[in-house]
Amino acid sequence: MLDRGHFDNETLAAMDDIALLLHIKTTVSETNETLKNAEGLDARRSKPSAKRVMKAARAAAEDLLKEAFVRKSNRSYREIQRRNLPDLMVALESATLLARQEHAVGKGVLDRLVVHPLQELTERWKAVVREKSSDK
């Protein structure tokens, strides 16, 4: 049986990030009904922000997944983080906007399940990217 013991720490961290990114994408996708049915919210106006979050999360997860399955000793997870970080930062701004709209009508799922995890991820990735640029 394949388990976490079969992977190195860097690949395990990438897999954890993949799971987090997919959870973020799924959560935003599933809140579409909330946005459609909540009084005071305009789902059409929220759609571009939601799409930005879902697209950035999916792209980063796909890049990490592709790298995890490449057979080579020197993986480039840091390069993937550097490349996807700007889009994830924009996605964080969009997620924050969506969470504010949701909070205004008495809901709070996006803040807890999307904004905070995305903030944590982007802060961690920023630190890795800074660390890499200081290594040069």
Side-chain angles (χ1 to χ4, degrees), residues 44-61:
R44 285 188 319 249
R45 189 177 58 124
S46 302
K47 191 173 184 175
S49 292
K51 277 188 163 185
R52 269 190 295 278
V53 175
M54 291 187 298
K55 183 178 179 182
R58 179 178 158 201

Side-chain angles (χ1 to χ4, degrees), residues 11 14 20 35 46-48 67 76 87 90 94 109 115 122 126:
T11 300
L20 179 63
L35 296 173
S46 302
K47 191 173 184 175
E67 188 64 23
S76 58
D87 290 338
V90 171
S94 294
V109 173
V115 174
T122 56
K126 275 193 246 180

Side-chain angles (χ1 to χ4, degrees), residues 27-113:
T27 301
V28 172
S29 178
E30 290 173 352
T31 58
N32 186 41
E33 284 304 309
T34 301
L35 296 173
K36 283 182 182 177
N37 298 326
E39 249 182 72
L41 285 180
D42 181 357
R44 285 188 319 249
R45 189 177 58 124
S46 302
K47 191 173 184 175
S49 292
K51 277 188 163 185
R52 269 190 295 278
V53 175
M54 291 187 298
K55 183 178 179 182
R58 179 178 158 201
E62 285 178 351
D63 283 353
L64 287 170
L65 187 61
K66 287 174 189 171
E67 188 64 23
F69 285 94
V70 170
R71 285 189 165 242
K72 60 182 181 181
S73 60
N74 187 13
R75 300 203 186 277
S76 58
Y77 293 121
R78 286 182 179 189
E79 175 57 27
I80 290 167
Q81 292 167 332
R82 186 198 61 73
R83 196 173 53 237
N84 284 278
L85 189 57
D87 290 338
L88 289 173
M89 295 297 297
V90 171
L92 178 57
E93 291 174 18
S94 294
T96 302
L97 175 66
L98 288 170
R100 284 187 193 134
Q101 292 172 5
E102 183 191 42
H103 186 67
V105 295
K107 307 285 185 200
V109 173
L110 288 174
D111 193 47
R112 184 172 39 86
L113 298 179

